[in-house]
């Protein structure tokens, strides 16, 4: 933050407004870094030659909007949840509605690895509410035990497999033994492991349309033929898949909270899908990426809990519930697949996940902290979802309609048919927002248009209102 006289003679704004704007600009431009301590009220007032109360007014506004965080005697710090603005980039065809060849990649390019979350980013848990002290204490205990110095088992750390099996039985209705649970680094690793174990390379696979883009990308890299099956208000259209792609041997679905539309697969469709798999000798991958977070009624039972023919392979993740740097996911397979999965694990995973993190996660789950954390996050996310919905409500007349589904970690905002969601998502990314377009997640024919926004890291209604106002200015630019 540059040092300069407090008041700009050419600026008619009140002094506290000028100080507020200067600090805010320093944060947004990256001159003040996330987590950096800012001067105390007394020190900054002395530096600028103004009254302490004037600086206090500016600081209180920045605190209220989420730019600063007060940490008692330690001082005041720049929030770690504020992403610096990115330089504006002018696309070669900025006015075109045509999808660029690398659209699937540019949709995710704003979410840089190793950095702070971009505003409204999808797929992230509430990082500000992660129980760091508890996690650190558990990790210190595991380090002292030195168990993490051994070579990790390729199928996963035994106590973690036990803890996951017990948790899934209680919370998701999945009756599985620990040896049926395999720990992997990520969802894409789960797909690679399953395809290798089942020898599915060269086969056809149903994929929901629209769907999470990395699913289709990963399957193509694994040499599967992707068959797009549309999703309607009842979930995956199983009858369409049976009629158009009867040769498929795999279906990848998100039944609890369809990604990205948010609809739940109805009971009738679940039965139809299980019947198809049983009759065809096909397999179903159930991606239950955020099934714990449902805000009306109880979480839906997993599709796997209805599987009497042992055709469902269940995929879950700890990274989306706890924190993304954990890099822990898991696969639950039918008893008949355990031997082949054991062999595939040794071929594909190459040493497994770090045992230290697996051991900490196992203790976190076994001691009940995981279940309590999910319960607390469910309440928090419901509140933060309402904040984003309220901030978006005034823009309904401009063609933006919030779709409040029963669960999930993001909002889908329908846009008018005459608005281009691809172009709007590009403008949002250029302004620093991690907003996704529904069209970019669509694999087949054109259809409904919309924008997807994450809400889990919003901490106040003021912050939600500010971010949405900035986003709308960018969309209309």
């Amino acid at each position: 933050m540059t040092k300069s006289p407090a008041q700009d003679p050419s600026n008619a704004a009140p002094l506290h407004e000028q100080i507020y704007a200067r600090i805010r600009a320093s944060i947004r431009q990256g001159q003040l870094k996330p987590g950096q301590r800012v001067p105390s009220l007394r020190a900054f007032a002395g530096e600028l030659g103004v009254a302490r109360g004037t600086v206090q007014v500016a600081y209180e506004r920045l605190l209220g909007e989420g730019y600063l965080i007060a940490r008692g005697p330690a001082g005041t710090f720049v929030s770690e949840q504020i992403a610096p603005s990115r330089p504006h980039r002018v696309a070669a065809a900025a006015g075109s509605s045509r999808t660029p060849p690398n659209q699937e990649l540019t949709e995710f390019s704003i979410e840089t690895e190793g950095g702070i979350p971009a505003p409204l980013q999808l797929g992230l848990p509430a990082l500000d509410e992660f129980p760091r002290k508890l996690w650190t204490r558990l990790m210190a205990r595991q380090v002292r035990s030195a168990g993490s110095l051994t070579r990790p088992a390729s199928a996963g750390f035994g106590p973690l497999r036990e803890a996951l099996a017990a948790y899934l039985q209680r919370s998701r209705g999945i009756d599985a033994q620990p040896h049926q649970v395999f720990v992997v680094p990520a969802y894409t690793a789960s797909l690679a492991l399953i395809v290798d174990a089942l020898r599915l390379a060269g086969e056809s696979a149903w994929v929901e349309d629209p769907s999470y883009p990395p699913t289709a990308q990963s399957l193509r890299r694994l040499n599967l033929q992707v068959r797009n099956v549309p999703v309607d208000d009842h979930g995956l259209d199983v009858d369409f898949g049976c009629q158009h792609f009867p040769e498929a041997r795999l279906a990848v679905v998100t039944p609890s909270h369809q990604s990205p539309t948010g609809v739940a697969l109805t009971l009738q469709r679940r039965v139809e899908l299980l019947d198809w798999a049983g009759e065809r000798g096909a397999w179903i991958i159930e991606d239950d990426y955020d099934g714990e977070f449902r805000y009306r009624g109880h979480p839906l039972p997993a599709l796997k809990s209805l599987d009497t023919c042992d055709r469902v392979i269940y995929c879950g993740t700890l990274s989306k519930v706890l924190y993304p740097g954990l890099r822990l996911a898991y696969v639950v397979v039918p008893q008949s697949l355990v031997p082949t999965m054991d062999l595939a694990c040794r071929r594909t995973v190459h040493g497994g996940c770090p045992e230290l993190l697996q051991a900490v996660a196992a203790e976190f789950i076994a001691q009940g902290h995981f279940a309590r954390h999910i319960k607390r996050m469910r309440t928090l996310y419901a509140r933060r979802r309402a904040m984003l919905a309220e901030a978006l409500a005034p823009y309904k007349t401009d063609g933006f309609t919030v779709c409040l589904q029963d669960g999930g970690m993001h909002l889908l905002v329908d846009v008018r048919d005459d608005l281009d969601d691809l172009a709007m998502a590009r403008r949002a990314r250029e302004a620093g927002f991690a907003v996704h377009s529904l069209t970019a997640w669509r694999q087949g024919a054109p259809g409904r248009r919309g924008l997807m926004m994450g809400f889990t890291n919003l901490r106040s209604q003021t912050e939600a209102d500010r971010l949405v106002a900035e986003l709308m200015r960018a969309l209309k630019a």
Side-chain angles (χ1 to χ4, degrees):
M1 190 162 52
T2 57
K3 297 180 181 180
S4 59
Q7 189 157 9
D8 179 358
S10 64
N11 193 336
L15 194 53
H16 63 82
E17 282 278 354
Q18 295 184 40
I19 296 171
Y20 157 82
R22 182 190 305 176
I23 300 174
R24 180 181 181 275
S26 295
I27 294 172
R28 296 296 289 171
Q29 293 167 12
Q31 295 167 341
L32 281 174
K33 308 295 184 185
Q36 181 177 339
R37 190 178 186 273
V38 299
S40 66
L41 292 175
R42 186 185 302 278
F44 197 28
E47 179 181 329
L48 297 177
V50 300
R52 183 174 180 273
T54 302
V55 178
Q56 184 173 359
V57 172
Y59 271 31
E60 286 178 350
R61 181 173 174 186
L62 291 161
L63 287 165
E65 293 184 2
Y67 284 99
L68 299 180
I69 296 177
R71 293 178 178 165
T76 303
F77 296 80
V78 177
S79 170
E80 295 181 354
Q81 307 301 317
I82 296 294
S85 297
R86 292 159 174 79
H88 184 76
R89 302 186 304 276
V90 180
S96 172
S97 62
R98 181 175 171 270
T99 306
N102 63 340
Q103 179 66 43
E104 289 178 329
L105 295 179
T106 57
E107 281 282 337
F108 292 88
S109 61
I110 192 96
E111 296 158 28
T112 53
E113 296 178 354
I116 60 175
L120 307 181
Q121 185 168 327
L122 305 183
L124 285 181
L127 301 181
D128 60 316
E129 292 293 329
F130 179 71
R132 291 175 182 265
K133 291 183 179 179
L134 171 61
W135 188 265
T136 301
R137 186 167 69 250
L138 296 178
M139 181 171 286
R141 182 184 305 166
Q142 291 298 329
V143 170
R144 287 194 297 270
S145 73
S148 61
L149 299 181
T150 62
R151 178 180 175 85
S154 59
F157 183 54
L160 177 57
R161 300 171 79 184
E162 294 172 5
L164 285 170
Y167 166 74
L168 291 171
Q169 201 283 328
R170 292 192 309 268
S171 67
R172 311 298 289 134
I174 297 174
D175 186 12
Q177 298 302 310
H179 65 271
Q180 294 175 251
V181 180
F182 294 81
V183 181
V184 292
Y187 168 62
T188 51
S190 301
L191 294 179
L193 178 63
I194 294 165
V195 170
D196 182 43
L198 298 179
R199 305 291 187 183
L200 290 175
E203 300 287 351
S204 297
W206 291 359
V207 174
E208 296 169 324
D209 188 18
S211 66
Y212 181 54
T215 297
Q217 294 168 13
S218 297
L219 292 177
R220 290 190 182 102
R221 283 196 295 269
L222 295 167
N223 197 30
L224 273 80
Q225 305 299 314
V226 173
R227 307 303 186 197
N228 301 310
V229 179
V231 170
D232 58 23
D233 292 341
H234 304 285
L236 182 80
D237 190 339
V238 179
D239 187 58
F240 180 97
C242 292
Q243 290 185 27
H244 292 81
F245 311 118
E247 79 288 355
R249 289 199 55 218
L250 178 69
V252 184
V253 294
T254 51
S256 294
H257 181 251
Q258 201 277 327
S259 177
T261 65
V263 300
L265 191 66
T266 61
L267 179 59
Q268 180 180 342
R269 291 279 178 89
R270 291 176 184 233
V271 172
E272 291 173 358
L273 184 60
L274 291 169
D275 286 346
W276 164 79
E279 292 169 3
R280 301 282 183 175
W283 298 96
I284 301 167
I285 295 179
E286 177 180 10
D287 177 14
D288 197 21
Y289 66 104
D290 66 357
E292 292 90 351
F293 302 116
R294 188 172 175 85
Y295 313 116
R296 285 197 289 260
H298 296 289
L300 296 174
L303 178 66
K304 176 70 177 170
S305 67
L306 303 175
D307 180 26
T308 58
C309 296
D310 281 347
R311 307 309 296 180
V312 177
I313 300 170
Y314 179 90
C315 294
T317 176
L318 298 179
S319 301
K320 276 189 170 60
V321 179
L322 296 177
Y323 65 96
L326 184 59
R327 306 304 294 158
L328 285 179
Y330 52 91
V331 180
V332 182
V333 303
Q335 177 65 43
S336 61
L337 284 184
V338 170
T340 55
M341 286 291 284
D342 271 322
L343 291 174
C345 236
R346 287 192 280 271
R347 288 195 302 265
T348 306
V349 178
H350 305 298
C353 305
E355 188 175 292
L356 173 60
L357 291 178
Q358 292 191 66
V360 177
E363 190 172 1
F364 189 80
I365 297 171
Q367 292 185 3
H369 303 303
F370 187 65
R372 287 191 291 272
H373 180 69
I374 288 175
K375 183 178 180 180
R376 191 163 66 90
M377 291 303 98
R378 193 178 294 134
T379 301
L380 178 70
Y381 291 169
R383 187 164 65 248
R384 292 185 172 183
R385 183 181 79 145
M387 290 175 185
L388 183 55
E390 183 176 334
L392 288 162
Y395 300 93
K396 184 174 182 179
T397 55
D398 296 328
F400 301 91
T401 304
V402 176
C403 302
L404 273 182
Q405 298 293 347
D406 290 341
M409 298 169 67
H410 72 268
L411 280 186
L412 175 60
V413 181
D414 277 333
V415 301
R416 282 200 322 258
D417 290 342
D418 61 317
L419 298 177
D420 185 345
D421 60 342
L422 285 171
M424 287 191 290
R426 286 197 294 269
R427 288 197 290 271
R429 289 193 300 276
E430 289 165 1
F433 291 90
V435 171
H436 292 244
S437 64
L438 182 58
T439 296
W441 288 38
R442 195 176 300 284
Q443 307 292 325
R448 172 184 177 189
R449 300 181 180 188
L451 297 173
M452 289 171 280
M453 307 176 191
F455 55 77
T456 53
N457 282 283
L458 294 174
R459 291 173 302 165
S460 68
Q461 188 63 58
T462 301
E463 182 183 18
D465 293 340
R466 172 180 59 79
L467 288 175
V468 169
E470 292 179 4
L471 172 63
M472 290 301 171
R473 283 195 293 270
L475 296 184
K476 296 175 182 178

